[in-house]
Amino acid sequence: MPHTVIETPLEQDSARYDVAALRREFPVLSREVNGKPLIYLDNAATSQTPQPVIDVFSDYYSRYNANIHRGLHTLADEATAAFEGTRQRVKGFLNAEDARQIIFTRGTTEAINLVAQSWGRTQLHPGDEVLISMLEHHSNIVPWQLLAAERGFTIKVIPVDANGALDMDAYRELLSERTKLVAVNHVSNALGTINPVKEMTSLAHQFGALTLVDGAQAAPHQRVDVQDIDADFYAFSGHKVYGPTGVGVLYGKKALLEAMPPWQGGGEMIDTVSFDAGTTFAAIPHKFEAGTPAIAEVIALGRALEWMEGVGVEAISAWEGVLLDHATQAVSQVDGLRILGTAPNKAGVLSFVVDGVHAQDIGLLIDQLGVAIRTGHHCAQPLLHHFGVEATCRASFAAYNTLEEVDTFVAALNRVIGMVR
C-alpha cells in the first residue's frame, strides 16, 4: 500500500503522521479477506488492536498472573501495580482530578447501568425528568426506560435537526426544575455528530441537574477533559480506543461516587462482613468493583491509551478529519446515495443509504471485495426511524486508515451498486 504522510499538529518532536509505519503495528491489517487486502472501516463498532497491546496478554499470563489487591506475594504485587497503573493513566487521559474517580467496568453499557442502578435508583422519583437525546445508542436509552418503569419518573427526548445536530433551543426549553439528569452521548455512533456537551452540562447545572456523558465514540477520536466539560459522569469503552473488549471506564465526581450505594456485592467491594453487624463497604473506587476484575484487559487498556498518547490524540483526530472529508466528497458523487448526518461538527463516521439498494446487500457484497463496513440500525433505532430508514451503511475511520483505502472503498461501493441495480 502506498506510503501516506500528512502534516498535522502533533505534540511530538516530529510533525509528520506516518500512516504506513503506524499500520505495521496492527497484525490484522496485513491479512486478506476473500482474496483481497483487508480494508477495515468498522471502527465505530470496534477498533483494531496494535501489537504492543496484544503483547500485554502474553506478558501478564506468562509472567505475573495473579489476583490483585489481596495477595502479599510478588506476583500479586506486580499485577496490582500494573492494574492500578492503568487507573492512573485513565486519570491523565481524561484529566480527572483523582484516580479514585476512575471505576473499571465491562464497558460503556455497564457504566451507564451502574449510574442508573446506583444513583438513579436512589435519586429518581415520580415527577422527576431525565433528558436523553434522539442520537442515543440503545445503551443510553434502555437502562433509563427500565428504571422509569420501576421508579415512575419521566423520560424526555431532545430532538435533532435535519442535519443530525441536536436542537439546542429545544434542549433549553426541555430543561426545568424537574430535570434531574441529562444523559447524552458526546459523539453519535450512527451519524458522527459531535454534541456540545460542555454547553449542555453548563445549562443542566443551572437547573441543578446532573449530566452523564456517553463518551464511547469520543474517546477514540478527540481529547477529552472531564474537568473542562464539568460532566458529573463520563463513560467509555476499551475496545474502541485500540484496546481489548470486556473493559470500560466510568468517571464520576468524587462526592457523587462516595454518596452512591454499591451496585453489585461480593469480594473486593467490602470493608467488613458480619452476620450480626452486617456489611460495611470499601472506599471508592473499590466499592463499585465487586469480584475479580478483567485484570489483563485493564492492563491492556492502559497500554492502549499509552499507544494513543504516543501517536498523539490530536494527530489522530486531525487525520480522521482528512479521511472523513475525502470520503464525504467521494461518496457524494455516487448516484442515488444519501448521507445521513451532515452536522458541521462531526467525527469520522459516514452513514449513508442508496436508493433502491438494501444496506445489508451492500454490506455482504462489499465484504467479498475485502471491505468491512457496518450495516443495520447501529443500536440507534429511534434515530434511524426519525430519518425514515430501517438501516444504513456506515464507514467509520481510525488512526490507521488511509486515503487509498477510502478510494478503494468508494470504487468497491460503485461496483456493488452496479451489481444489484
Side-chain angles (χ1 to χ4, degrees):
M1 181 167 292
H3 190 140
T4 305
V5 178
I6 181 175
E7 298 291 332
T8 59
L10 283 173
E11 295 178 339
Q12 302 156 306
D13 293 337
S14 172
R16 297 178 69 80
Y17 187 84
D18 192 334
V19 180
L22 190 151
R23 288 175 63 85
R24 288 193 288 269
E25 298 190 67
F26 291 81
V28 71
L29 298 182
S30 64
R31 70 164 291 182
E32 292 187 346
V33 172
N34 296 314
K36 304 288 185 181
L38 169 65
I39 296 177
Y40 185 80
L41 300 177
D42 192 20
N43 298 287
T46 295
S47 58
Q48 295 300 331
T49 309
Q51 191 63 53
V53 178
I54 297 171
D55 290 343
V56 167
F57 290 90
S58 175
D59 186 50
Y60 170 75
Y61 284 111
S62 62
R63 292 202 312 112
Y64 60 104
N65 178 15
N67 216 321
I68 58 171
H69 299 140
R70 306 171 191 178
L72 298 177
H73 54 81
T74 298
L75 269 64
D77 287 344
E78 291 176 353
T80 299
F83 184 94
E84 292 300 329
T86 294
R87 203 184 304 273
Q88 290 291 336
R89 184 164 292 281
V90 175
K91 168 185 174 291
F93 187 76
L94 296 179
N95 191 33
E97 296 177 277
D98 191 325
R100 290 174 294 179
Q101 297 173 286
I102 306 302
I103 298 164
F104 293 121
T105 65
R106 291 185 299 151
T108 303
T109 297
E110 185 171 85
I112 294 170
N113 276 273
L114 191 161
V115 175
Q117 294 300 317
S118 178
W119 178 86
R121 186 175 292 278
T122 57
Q123 299 299 317
L124 295 173
H125 308 285
D128 293 339
E129 295 177 355
V130 170
L131 304 188
I132 60 177
S133 84
M134 182 69 70
L135 293 170
E136 298 313 305
H137 188 282
H138 295 166
S139 63
N140 201 27
I141 300 174
V142 179
W144 304 112
Q145 289 178 328
L146 291 171
L147 191 60
E150 177 183 334
R151 303 296 298 162
F153 62 88
T154 301
I155 297 172
K156 293 196 170 182
V157 180
I158 310 162
V160 297
D161 64 21
N163 295 320
L166 283 185
D167 184 336
M168 290 297 289
D169 290 335
Y171 172 60
R172 292 181 180 90
E173 292 178 2
L174 286 170
L175 285 167
S176 73
E177 299 299 332
R178 295 184 297 277
T179 308
K180 302 304 178 185
L181 180 73
V182 177
V184 295
N185 55 34
H186 197 162
V187 175
S188 164
N189 74 301
L191 303 183
T193 303
I194 301 175
N195 291 321
V197 292
K198 180 178 179 179
E199 179 185 1
M200 297 181 77
T201 294
S202 177
L203 291 168
H205 286 171
Q206 292 176 23
F207 289 88
L210 302 185
T211 59
L212 182 155
V213 180
D214 170 358
Q217 298 295 333
H221 304 298
Q222 64 186 71
R223 180 68 65 183
V224 174
D225 186 332
V226 291
Q227 292 191 68
D228 181 60
I229 296 170
D230 199 24
D232 298 289
F233 302 101
Y234 195 98
F236 73 94
S237 298
H239 68 103
K240 299 184 193 294
V241 292
Y242 308 95
T245 59
V247 63
V249 167
L250 173 67
Y251 156 87
K253 289 185 175 178
K254 187 178 177 183
L256 289 170
L257 294 176
E258 288 177 335
M260 288 160 53
W263 175 33
Q264 297 175 324
E268 188 66 27
M269 50 75 68
I270 59 91
D271 181 22
T272 62
V273 177
S274 168
F275 286 123
D276 298 322
T279 297
T280 58
F281 304 113
I284 61 170
H286 305 298
K287 177 172 68 173
F288 296 107
E289 295 178 355
T292 298
I295 300 171
E297 286 79 2
V298 168
I299 299 170
L301 170 61
R303 186 66 183 89
L305 298 182
E306 181 183 7
W307 181 88
M308 282 189 68
E309 296 280 11
V311 176
V313 177
E314 291 82 0
I316 293 172
S317 180
W319 176 237
E320 290 173 348
V322 171
L323 294 169
L324 178 62
D325 288 345
H326 186 72
T328 300
Q329 293 175 21
V331 301
S332 295
Q333 306 305 312
V334 176
D335 183 43
L337 185 145
R338 176 167 63 99
I339 297 173
L340 274 71
T342 55
N345 199 13
K346 279 188 62 174
V349 173
L350 187 62
S351 195
F352 60 90
V353 293
V354 178
D355 292 343
V357 185
H358 197 284
Q360 184 175 358
D361 292 337
I362 293 175
L364 290 170
L365 290 172
I366 207 167
D367 177 64
Q368 297 302 308
L369 301 176
V371 180
I373 64 171
R374 178 62 56 124
T375 61
H377 54 65
H378 316 299
C379 293
Q381 286 180 312
L383 176 64
L384 267 61
H385 291 164
H386 172 75
F387 282 102
V389 299
E390 293 294 329
T392 72
C393 299
R394 184 187 68 188
S396 50
F397 308 107
Y400 42 69
N401 291 126
T402 70
L403 294 170
E404 293 80 11
E405 286 186 315
V406 172
D407 291 339
T408 302
F409 153 63
V410 176
L413 178 61
N414 275 306
R415 182 178 172 186
V416 166
I417 294 171
M419 292 168 57
V420 297
R421 274 184 173 167

